[in-house]
C-alpha cells in the first residue's frame, strides 16, 4: 500500500531533514492516517475521521506521544554518521518540552473563550468587534503580558468556515483526551503494551462515529477523561 505524506511546510534542504517539530507533525498526521486506514465501520459517513471535531484530534495527538519515548528516540540516527542522538541532547530536549507552556495555554484558552462569547451574542446591531474584544479580555482578566494568539479580525478558524465556529476549544480538549489516553500505556508499564494497544485500535482508531465519542473513551479508559495528565504533560501540575 503506497503511503504519501504531502508536507509542503517542511524546510527544504539537501537532503531535507526534519526538526523535532516536523517529526511531531509527521507523527500527528500519521495518527490521522491510522484513523482512516484502521476504520472498521459499515457506513462511510460514520467511518474514519467522520467524527466530532474534538475527537478527530485524539488519534493524531495521541500518536505524537510515541515520538518522545526513549524506545523511539533511540532508534533515530544522524543522517551522515549513523550515530544515535546523544543522551545529553535528549535530556535537554525533554527539559525544554514544557518551556513557555503557561504562556501558550493562556493565549490559546483566551481565544477559545473569546470564540464562544462571540457566538453567544444575541444581537449584533451596532456591534463593534474591537470593543467586544476589549470588554471580554477585561472580563477574563487577561494578563497584560500575554496577547491573543488570534485577534478576532484574522481568526480564520472562526470565519473561514463553520467547522470551528464556537469550537476552537477542541484542540485543548483533545489534549485532555490524548494525555489521559496515553497514560493508559504508561500505567501498563509498557508504551507498546499489546492489550492497551488493542483497546486503542478498537475504541479510538477503528470505531469512527459508530458510537458517541464519550462512550468510546469510556470503553477504552474505563472512566471519563480527567484533566490531570494534560496539566502534567504541560508542566503545569
Amino acid at each position: 500500500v503506497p503511503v504519501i505524506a504531502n508536507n509542503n511546510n517542511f524546510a527544504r534542504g539537501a537532503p531535507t531533514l526534519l526538526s523535532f517539530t516536523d517529526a511531531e507533525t509527521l507523527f500527528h498526521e500519521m495518527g490521522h492516517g491510522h484513523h482512516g486506514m484502521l476504520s472498521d465501520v459499515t457506513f462511510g459517513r460514520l467511518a474514519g475521521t467522520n467524527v466530532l471535531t474534538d475527537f478527530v484530534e485524539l488519534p493524531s495527538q495521541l500518536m505524537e506521544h510515541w515520538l518522545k519515548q526513549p524506545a523511539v528516540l533511540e532508534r533515530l540516527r544522524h543522517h551522515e554518521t549513523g550515530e544515535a542522538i546523544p543522551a545529553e541532547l535528549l535530556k535537554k530536549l525533554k527539559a525544554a518540552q514544557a518551556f513557555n507552556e503557561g504562556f501558550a495555554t493562556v493565549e490559546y484558552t483566551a481565544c477559545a473563550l473569546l470564540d464562544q462569547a462571540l457566538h453567544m451574542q444575541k444581537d449584533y446591531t451596532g456591534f463593534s468587534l474591537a470593543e467586544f474584544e476589549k470588554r471580554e479580555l477585561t472580563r477574563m482578566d487577561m494578563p497584560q503580558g500575554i496577547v491573543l494568539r488570534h485577534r478576532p479580525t484574522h481568526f480564520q478558524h472562526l470565519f473561514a468556515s463553520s467547522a470551528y465556529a464556537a469550537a476552537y476549544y477542541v484542540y485543548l480538549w483533545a489534549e485532555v483526551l490524548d494525555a489521559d489516553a496515553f497514560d493508559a500505556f504508561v500505567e501498563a508499564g509498557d508504551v507498546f503494551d499489546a492489550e492497551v494497544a488493542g483497546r486503542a485500535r478498537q475504541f479510538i482508531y477503528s470505531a469512527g462515529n459508530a458510537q458517541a465519542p464519550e462512550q468510546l473513551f469510556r470503553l477504552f479508559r474505563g472512566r471519563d477523561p480527567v484533566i490531570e495528565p494534560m496539566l502534567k504533560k504541560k508542566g503545569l501540575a
Side-chain angles (χ1 to χ4, degrees):
V1 178
V3 178
I4 300 172
N6 184 14
N7 300 100
N8 294 319
N9 56 340
F10 285 174
R12 296 181 180 181
T16 294
L17 304 176
L18 302 185
S19 67
F20 192 79
T21 300
D22 290 338
E24 280 187 315
T25 299
L26 188 62
F27 272 63
H28 179 102
E29 301 306 334
M30 184 168 61
H32 284 308
H34 287 166
H35 199 186
M37 291 185 289
L38 296 175
S39 182
D40 187 17
V41 177
T42 301
F43 301 102
R45 291 193 66 179
L46 300 176
T49 57
N50 291 310
V51 297
L52 293 179
T53 311
D54 49 359
F55 202 75
V56 80
E57 295 299 336
L58 170 57
S60 55
Q61 293 181 188
L62 176 58
M63 190 63 63
E64 293 178 28
H65 286 265
W66 275 276
L67 173 62
K68 302 171 185 176
Q69 300 308 304
V72 174
L73 291 171
E74 290 167 1
R75 297 173 66 90
L76 304 181
R77 294 291 184 269
H78 192 280
H79 74 107
E80 291 179 338
T81 66
E83 294 180 4
I85 303 176
E88 187 62 26
L89 182 57
L90 289 177
K91 183 179 179 180
K92 292 179 180 178
L93 180 64
K94 184 177 180 180
Q97 286 176 358
F99 174 74
N100 222 20
E101 279 292 346
F103 184 101
T105 301
V106 170
E107 66 166 358
Y108 175 91
T109 304
C111 288
L113 293 173
L114 190 73
D115 165 33
Q116 293 192 331
L118 183 60
H119 284 88
M120 291 173 66
Q121 296 296 299
K122 295 180 179 180
D123 185 7
Y124 292 93
T125 303
F127 181 78
S128 168
L129 193 56
E131 287 300 316
F132 171 82
E133 176 188 3
K134 182 179 179 180
R135 184 173 66 252
E136 284 300 308
L137 292 181
T138 299
R139 182 185 66 82
M140 287 188 279
D141 199 19
M142 182 74 164
Q144 292 187 356
I146 302 179
V147 297
L148 291 169
R149 180 175 299 183
H150 304 289
R151 297 290 300 278
T153 50
H154 66 81
F155 203 165
Q156 292 193 22
H157 273 80
L158 271 60
F159 302 117
S161 73
S162 62
Y164 286 95
Y168 185 63
Y169 74 91
V170 297
Y171 290 101
L172 190 58
W173 177 241
E175 283 195 69
V176 172
L177 299 178
D178 77 64
D180 196 354
F182 189 74
D183 258 18
F185 290 90
V186 175
E187 291 165 7
D190 180 2
V191 296
F192 299 106
D193 184 84
E195 191 274 329
V196 180
R199 293 204 317 270
R201 174 170 182 162
Q202 181 180 0
F203 299 122
I204 296 178
Y205 287 95
S206 69
N209 205 28
Q211 296 185 64
E214 60 268 27
Q215 179 62 17
L216 289 172
F217 190 90
R218 291 189 195 107
L219 289 169
F220 168 68
R221 201 67 174 96
R223 56 165 172 73
D224 288 335
V226 294
I227 195 173
E228 286 76 13
M230 184 272 284
L231 294 176
K232 182 179 178 181
K233 167 189 169 185
K234 288 178 171 291
L236 302 177

